[in-house]
Amino acid sequence: METLIIILSGILFTIATYLILNKNFLRIVLGLTLFSHATHMMLMAINGLKRGGAPLLGERTDVYTDPIPQALILTSIVISFALTALLLVLGYRTYIELGTDNMKKLRGESHE
Amino acid sequence: MSNLLIYPIIVPLLTAMVLVFVRDRIKLQQWLTVLSLLITIGISLYNIYYVSTEHILVLELGGWSAPYGIVLVGDMMSLILVTVACFVSLMCLLYGFQSIEMGHKKHFIYPMILILVTGVNGSFLTGDIFNLFVFFEVMLIASYVLIALGGKKIQLRESIKYVLINVVSSTLFVIATAYLYAATGTLNMAHLSQRIAEVGQDGLLTAISFLYLIVFGLKSGLLLFYWLPGSYSAPSPPVAALFAALLTKVGVYTVIRTFTLMFYHQPEITHTVILWMAAITMILGALGAVSHWEIKKILAYNVIISVGFILFGLAVGTEQSLSGSFYYLIHDMLSKALIFITGGAIINIFGTDKLKEFSGLILFRPLLGWLFFIGVLALAGVPPLSGFVGKVKILQGALSAGELAVSIIGLLTSLMVLYSVLKIFIHSFWGETLMSEGQEYSTGKSALLPGTILVASLFALGIGAEWVNPYIAQATEVMVNPSLYIEAVLTKISP
């Protein structure tokens, strides 16, 4: 199961890299979202999928699942969610002000 | 006792929250901001005194003991950096009180600056590598808002690039941390150091350390600095000064921390790569600084050069060069703040940052001229200013370790630094006066007070090097001998 998830996150990384290298702003944002999804899946998979019971004292099993990767993913998801929102707002405002979402046209001119 | 460690994080954070509720009362906001930074500086100074006489401070958050919970660790390096960071932010704010536009003041610029300080202090103090990521994000999100605040075209354009590159590097940070956790099974930096020492730093761990180097290189401007000149010249001068003095320095601190505490077992691979990255950074930064004709760009490239120089000292890795690096890091925070504040005042006076449109300011702003000139000398490392001591230490350490080639690059680039900033000085202060009567007394006064204080502190740090040295030596001791850090965190010290 771990191998499958790792391959899946590898595919997601590929797609994300392709999208990030695009010139269209929205595609870059989508690429970044996929990038963080792939990261989270990889984080979960390389630290082992469900290996035992829930890590609670009342569960009374001998083997517990490591809760730390899940805690890390939760933190990281919240941050990437906030960043995506911020990026979309910034991108929208830029589109209104500068009239383009093409990164090649956002290089800047010297007379500003 | 060790509870005092959390104050540099929560005092600015809580003040920022209060400030949001008094949005329209600008004067009150300013007083509260100054008050909270002064409290933070006072507590940090007390912490420095305590660490210098007793032991390294460790705070286990929530009472969870060391490798399981998150710890804050206050060794001499972190505490000195926290103090200097708060001091520099205070100076940038003193400059900003008069020069920030009213619209920005009403749109939460002070809370954002305090949240930035929270993130910076947290990054310096934390002893947990994932917590470091979180504090990085706190700092970066505040900086995204500060760069875009105002919504001018150049700001929006540069902020998009800045946010994109930082989101990518933050994701890489999570990936590196995932690998590290899978390889070692811990996130506590002291525990990581212990485990890496136990199993030996094999190829896998070295590869992970390079991933960290890429992440921190992106944040600090080590070789991967192509985003930096654009985004540091977009925000208003006080914010640019704050960025130049604090943001890249946090990246530099994390590089020093990771490669002296955790990944120090294979210096022939990692430190050699850092050495040449630093050398190329210095050369490219110097070329950029010399070739541009806008104040903002020249100063931004100077930030890059100093990052290269500090990490050159780390890469050499002798005790002397490490203490030189740390000394130069402190000096650089102060001198970059000074040069960005005075440079910002010049831009405000002329209303443009093109050098060729400047002339003859010395008649009307003699004090500003002298402050800028002393800033120039400090950047170049002229004695008795503080840059001299750091440069001598780094170069002595490098020459005794036989790094002749990069030492020569370091010396040549400091000449180019001198040329690039003197170019600003000559064009803006010498020559005939082109200003009209109305322009003469328009702005630029707000830089004088913080500029004078910063110049005084640069002189104090340079002339008083003998008195500062015990503290620097104590900080270096932990870098050279990581077991001090590990013992402080992992063995219980009764309060």
Side-chain angles (χ1 to χ4, degrees), chain B residues 253-442:
Chain B
Y253 161 81
T254 49
V255 175
I256 294 179
R257 183 62 97 199
T258 29
F259 284 90
T260 58
L261 179 63
M262 297 188 295
F263 304 111
Y264 58 91
H265 298 283
Q266 291 203 320
E268 68 276 8
I269 301 175
T270 49
H271 287 51
T272 313
V273 172
I274 299 178
L275 180 73
W276 288 104
M277 280 171 90
I280 299 170
T281 311
M282 283 192 276
I283 296 172
L284 293 180
L287 291 179
V290 169
S291 65
H292 275 91
W293 285 91
E294 295 99 36
I295 289 191
K296 286 177 173 178
K297 284 271 164 60
I298 295 175
L299 295 183
Y301 274 105
N302 271 302
V303 174
I304 296 166
I305 300 172
S306 63
V307 168
F309 199 71
I310 296 168
L311 291 177
F312 166 47
L314 164 75
V316 172
T318 60
E319 185 166 358
Q320 200 173 24
S321 72
L322 281 173
S323 77
S325 279
F326 184 52
Y327 196 90
Y328 200 79
L329 180 59
I330 300 170
H331 151 79
D332 197 53
M333 289 166 88
L334 298 171
S335 62
K336 282 287 155 12
L338 171 64
I339 204 90
F340 268 79
I341 287 175
T342 44
I346 297 175
I347 296 171
N348 273 346
I349 290 172
F350 287 110
T352 170
D353 75 332
K354 305 252 184 322
L355 277 186
K356 290 181 176 161
E357 296 170 25
F358 292 1
S359 189
L361 200 57
I362 195 80
L363 271 180
F364 303 102
R365 296 276 178 273
L367 184 54
L368 184 66
W370 281 104
L371 291 177
F372 190 82
F373 186 64
I374 294 172
V376 168
L377 295 183
L379 278 190
V382 174
L385 291 154
S386 53
F388 178 68
V389 187
K391 277 197 174 161
V392 165
K393 276 186 171 181
I394 293 181
L395 289 173
Q396 271 182 344
L399 288 177
S400 67
E403 299 292 352
L404 189 63
V406 187
S407 304
I408 293 173
I409 294 177
L411 282 173
L412 284 180
T413 49
S414 59
L415 278 182
M416 284 156 100
V417 166
L418 185 62
Y419 166 72
S420 70
V421 271
L422 265 184
K423 192 165 74 178
I424 304 179
F425 179 74
I426 290 173
H427 274 88
S428 49
F429 288 97
W430 290 1
E432 284 186 34
T433 308
L434 303 173
M435 299 164 78
S436 62
E437 281 297 314
Q439 264 183 313
E440 281 162 18
Y441 299 101
S442 56

Side-chain angles (χ1 to χ4, degrees), chain B residues 35-165:
Chain B
L35 187 69
S36 80
L37 283 175
L38 282 177
I39 291 173
T40 318
I41 293 173
I43 290 171
S44 312
L45 283 177
Y46 177 76
N47 281 343
I48 289 179
Y49 165 75
Y50 186 84
V51 171
S52 73
T53 51
E54 303 281 326
H55 51 78
I56 294 178
L57 284 168
V58 177
L59 175 61
E60 292 170 341
L61 295 176
W64 294 92
S65 60
Y68 307 108
I70 290 172
V71 287
L72 297 182
V73 185
D75 70 336
M76 197 43 104
M77 173 156 78
S78 315
L79 290 174
I80 291 180
L81 286 175
V82 165
T83 317
V84 178
C86 292
F87 173 70
V88 165
S89 330
L90 188 61
M91 291 304 120
C92 295
L93 277 166
L94 283 185
Y95 169 50
F97 284 158
Q98 287 171 40
S99 66
I100 296 175
E101 291 166 35
M102 204 46 167
H104 295 193
K105 287 180 183 171
K106 287 200 171 169
H107 282 89
F108 308 116
I109 190 163
Y110 296 131
M112 278 304 153
I113 288 176
L114 282 177
I115 290 174
L116 185 87
V117 173
T118 309
V120 170
N121 287 349
S123 311
F124 286 146
L125 286 175
T126 184
D128 182 283
I129 198 133
F130 195 76
N131 198 233
L132 178 67
F133 163 74
V134 176
F135 275 121
F136 254 116
E137 288 307 306
V138 172
M139 172 183 94
L140 287 172
I141 291 179
S143 74
Y144 302 154
V145 178
L146 284 173
I147 260 195
L149 191 65
K152 287 189 202 134
K153 281 182 180 177
I154 176 171
Q155 286 181 313
L156 288 170
R157 203 178 61 216
E158 294 303 335
S159 69
I160 277 199
K161 296 174 201 165
Y162 178 72
V163 178
L164 285 177
I165 193 105

